[in-house]
Amino acid sequence: MTTVRFKLSDAKPWTAEELQQIKNIRDEDIDYSDIPPTTPEDWKKAVRGKFYRAAQKPASRK
């Protein structure tokens, strides 16, 4: 398998027309068929902030 890597700096900026098209998409028009549905049972084990890491702050100043 080949790994393809992209840098954010290589991405082209959005055009005004593309941004307007995205803003005009209705929720009903978004295809969620490849995402499995969730149930309230799935959320009972959810943990808030499990993967959150606070930004490191310097311990001392020079």
Side-chain angles (χ1 to χ4, degrees):
M1 180 188 332
T2 303
T3 302
V4 179
R5 298 182 191 268
F6 294 97
K7 293 184 214 167
L8 187 56
S9 60
D10 293 340
K12 67 178 181 76
W14 295 91
T15 64
E17 182 181 336
E18 289 171 328
L19 289 173
Q20 193 60 42
Q21 287 175 346
I22 292 170
K23 288 178 184 178
N24 290 337
I25 294 175
R26 300 178 315 163
D27 287 346
E28 299 83 29
D29 297 333
I30 300 173
D31 179 16
Y32 294 106
S33 64
D34 60 338
I35 303 172
T38 60
T39 63
E41 190 67 30
D42 296 330
W43 291 100
K44 286 184 179 179
K45 297 178 185 175
V47 178
R48 183 181 295 235
K50 182 176 181 178
F51 299 106
Y52 172 75
R53 290 182 59 191
Q56 293 182 354
K57 297 180 182 177
S60 64
R61 295 178 188 230
K62 290 185 178 185

